[in-house]
Amino acid sequence: MSDSHHVPSPTPFWRRPFRVIRENRRAYLALNAAAYGLLVAGFAVGLLFPELPAARAATLETDGTGELVTAVASSAPLFAVVILAVNVFRLSLLTIVLPSLIVPFAGLALFGWWAVVTGVTLVPSIPVGWVALIPHSLTVLIELQAYILLLLGSYLLGRSWLQPKRVGALTRRRGYVRGLKSLGLLALPALLLLVVGAAWEAVSLRYLVHPLSQILL
């Protein structure tokens, strides 16, 4: 006699982040709109007030960022490693994840400010800068998707922390743990996207900008 009860197979580990996104589709789409919207808003502000991008460029030179980029840009692999380290530690961990572990949704607010400032910074001051934006637009698309996944995880952490019953938890502590699991799942594809984005950014800036500028300028 065959067993009439069907036991669903567990979701493969690599598919679990996609399930989290699917179950929170509205929040994911809202975060996409906010992240790209704030970046574009910052870019528009930079176009309207050219002194702001100029001031940002001066700041990057003063704090040593420009010197670091110049030092490592000659080697695409080294450049990619530096980009990945900055994106993982300074932006992903220090800007989004760690603040959200301490204060609910703090990482979302900090990232929002970063997106606006970055939009201003992206405004080119010389013609070759506009050429560089062609391949760099793909970099922005890839890396922002990584940050959006971390933003979604931070949002789910904060929501589970403050409203544990929404995730079937009896206490805020248990809600925090469940939210932390969601954040951890989303961090995996986010890291993969950051690796791809860093590789593309290094290769495109090292090998594509100059040929493109020769053709377009």
Side-chain angles (χ1 to χ4, degrees), residues 122-197:
L122 285 175
V123 176
S125 58
I126 56 177
V128 70
W130 288 100
V131 175
L133 276 183
I134 298 173
H136 196 62
S137 296
L138 180 57
T139 302
V140 172
L141 180 67
I142 295 171
E143 292 179 352
L144 269 188
Q145 276 302 307
Y147 301 139
I148 288 166
L149 290 176
L150 295 174
L151 291 172
L152 177 60
S154 299
Y155 166 75
L156 295 176
L157 170 63
R159 191 181 68 178
S160 301
W161 190 359
L162 298 178
Q163 300 176 325
K165 292 183 179 180
R166 296 194 61 168
V167 292
L170 297 178
T171 64
R172 288 187 175 179
R173 182 176 180 179
R174 292 184 179 180
Y176 183 92
V177 171
R178 294 195 181 184
L180 198 60
K181 289 180 179 178
S182 296
L183 175 57
L185 285 173
L186 293 170
L188 298 175
L191 179 59
L192 178 60
L193 285 171
L194 289 177
V195 171
V196 173

Side-chain angles (χ1 to χ4, degrees), residues 38 63 97 99 108 112 130 144 186 199:
L38 289 172
D63 66 12
V97 175
L108 279 70
W130 288 100
L144 269 188
L186 293 170

Side-chain angles (χ1 to χ4, degrees), residues 8-31:
S9 57
T11 303
F13 185 78
W14 65 271
R15 294 183 60 181
R16 292 179 187 176
F18 299 100
R19 185 179 66 183
V20 174
I21 296 171
R22 186 172 60 252
E23 292 174 349
N24 299 277
R25 187 181 297 109
R26 289 185 179 179
Y28 173 71
L29 294 176
L31 288 170

